[in-house]
Amino acid sequence: FGTDRMAEITLKLKAPTQEKSVQLKENETIKELRDEAAKAFSVSSARICLIYAGKILKDEHTLTEHKLKDGLTVHIVIKNEQQASSTAGQGSTATTPATPT
């Protein structure tokens, strides 16, 4: 396959208490980076907030749009789960109230 044009890059993910590295193709999306971060830190991707150059990275953007290159550090914030615990199955639906407009 002609994938040799797409370079593999390694990004450092820096959380307040630990640091990990992930490898991605340079044309991948922020969502794919979020998924890799979730695996690296063993949390659900919904809890991951990625920050680079003072901006929160949005899923639909690509690594190149944010000028993320090999060896750079992305800051990661792992949000607390909203009243969810490790016991699955107890009211597994989200309880955020809908606000009618």
Side-chain angles (χ1 to χ4, degrees), residues 22-42:
V22 293
Q23 287 196 312
L24 297 151
K25 299 252 186 288
E26 64 184 358
N27 67 332
E28 292 197 75
T29 63
I30 299 301
K31 173 154 185 15
E32 289 161 317
L33 172 59
R34 180 191 310 276
D35 292 342
E36 285 300 313
K39 278 188 242 169
F41 286 91
S42 304

